[in-house]
Amino acid sequence: MNKLTVFNAESAYYYFTDSLFRNSILGSSLLYCDSASLSYALRLRGVPHSRLHGPDFMDHYLCCFKSERVMIIGGSTQAHDHIRKRYQLNHVKFIDWHVSAEDLGELLSELESFYPQMVFVCLGLRKQETIANAIWQYFNSCDGFENATVIGVGAAVDFLGGTKIRSGRFWQSRGLEWLPRLVREPRMAPRILRSLVGCAMAFIKCKKFEADNLSFAKQFGF
């Protein structure tokens, strides 16, 4: 099984300050840079990469690989119904019950019986990476999962499922996608501060990624 990680500026903050989170990132085949500010810091340090938003990754996959078995963990029944109809998915399994990182027995059983080729974990930063890592560790050497992939994509299920409004192309193209969301959800302010600190830490400690055998994707792809 492959493990991919959508990595933003807040991820960088936790990567350098939270050993449990860092351990959940280790072993990722690729990191996808989902942050304009982090991208700027990486460019200044000469780290090859390309930007890719989690919702865009999920949207592209669901559009292009309709015949593959997909599991989506997280999100509401309303979002799931919208995604199923929007992408005309035939081989998809949604997990809409509460998933605890401390008790993954039922989830692992569902995965084992369904044999998904792609697993999207949409449970928010840190929790989704922890669970994605547990899935990867459990199935990494299991028969039938050699070509499977697991990736955490946060609120992508809500944006694609129509239960949350995503910032428009104008804000996305200028790296300010977070601003309209901050206006709608002021509780995100601490996340913005952590992101700023994370960018600074990534700039100062970018060699840590190389030392941990992690690389950023240089182009869109799976």
Side-chain angles (χ1 to χ4, degrees):
M1 174 175 262
N2 299 306
K3 178 175 63 173
L4 303 177
T5 298
V6 176
F7 200 85
N8 60 27
E10 191 180 13
S11 303
Y13 171 84
Y14 286 120
Y15 181 79
F16 293 113
T17 61
D18 183 342
S19 60
L20 292 178
F21 179 77
R22 183 168 60 254
N23 288 338
S24 72
I25 300 299
L26 298 180
S28 298
S29 301
L30 288 172
L31 304 181
Y32 287 97
C33 178
D34 182 14
S35 166
S37 53
L38 178 61
S39 177
Y40 182 69
L42 294 175
R43 285 202 306 271
L44 288 176
R45 294 305 304 270
V47 178
H49 69 284
S50 62
R51 286 185 60 202
L52 176 64
H53 295 300
D56 294 335
F57 182 101
M58 186 173 175
D59 174 69
H60 183 81
Y61 188 92
L62 295 180
C63 285
C64 296
F65 298 93
K66 294 181 182 296
S67 63
E68 295 195 353
R69 294 185 303 279
V70 177
M71 179 177 281
I72 298 175
I73 302 170
S76 66
T77 302
Q78 180 183 352
H80 296 168
D81 289 344
H82 185 86
I83 288 173
R84 190 193 301 273
K85 293 174 183 176
R86 175 180 177 182
Y87 295 97
Q88 300 180 326
L89 301 176
N90 297 317
H91 307 290
V92 61
K93 189 174 188 65
F94 295 100
I95 302 297
D96 56 7
W97 34 265
H98 175 71
V99 177
S100 170
E102 287 71 41
D103 184 11
L104 294 175
E106 185 177 358
L107 178 62
L108 295 175
S109 295
E110 291 282 352
L111 283 156
E112 203 160 12
S113 61
F114 185 61
Y115 274 102
Q117 291 152 291
M118 175 63 77
V119 181
F120 291 107
V121 189
C122 310
L123 298 173
L125 188 64
R126 287 202 289 180
K127 181 177 181 180
Q128 67 185 17
E129 282 76 22
T130 298
I131 290 175
N133 185 57
I135 292 171
W136 173 71
Q137 289 183 326
Y138 187 86
F139 291 106
N140 195 32
S141 58
C142 291
D143 293 339
F145 285 84
E146 296 87 352
N147 297 316
T149 299
V150 60
I151 181 171
V153 288
V157 66
D158 300 309
F159 293 139
L160 302 184
T163 55
K164 281 190 177 181
I165 300 173
R166 188 179 179 190
S167 301
R169 292 292 181 185
F170 173 85
W171 301 104
Q172 293 177 41
S173 64
R174 286 158 177 78
L176 295 171
E177 187 172 2
W178 54 270
L179 185 55
R181 192 175 176 192
L182 176 62
V183 173
R184 293 192 300 268
E185 303 176 58
R187 61 182 178 81
M188 289 189 61
R191 296 189 59 183
I192 303 302
L193 292 175
R194 286 194 293 269
S195 297
L196 292 173
V197 175
C199 285
M201 298 179 81
F203 177 78
I204 295 168
K205 303 182 178 184
C206 72
K207 290 296 182 182
K208 177 66 174 168
F209 298 121
E210 185 178 339
D212 285 343
N213 199 32
L214 294 170
S215 59
F216 283 87
K218 300 176 182 61
Q219 60 184 4
F220 186 90
F222 302 104

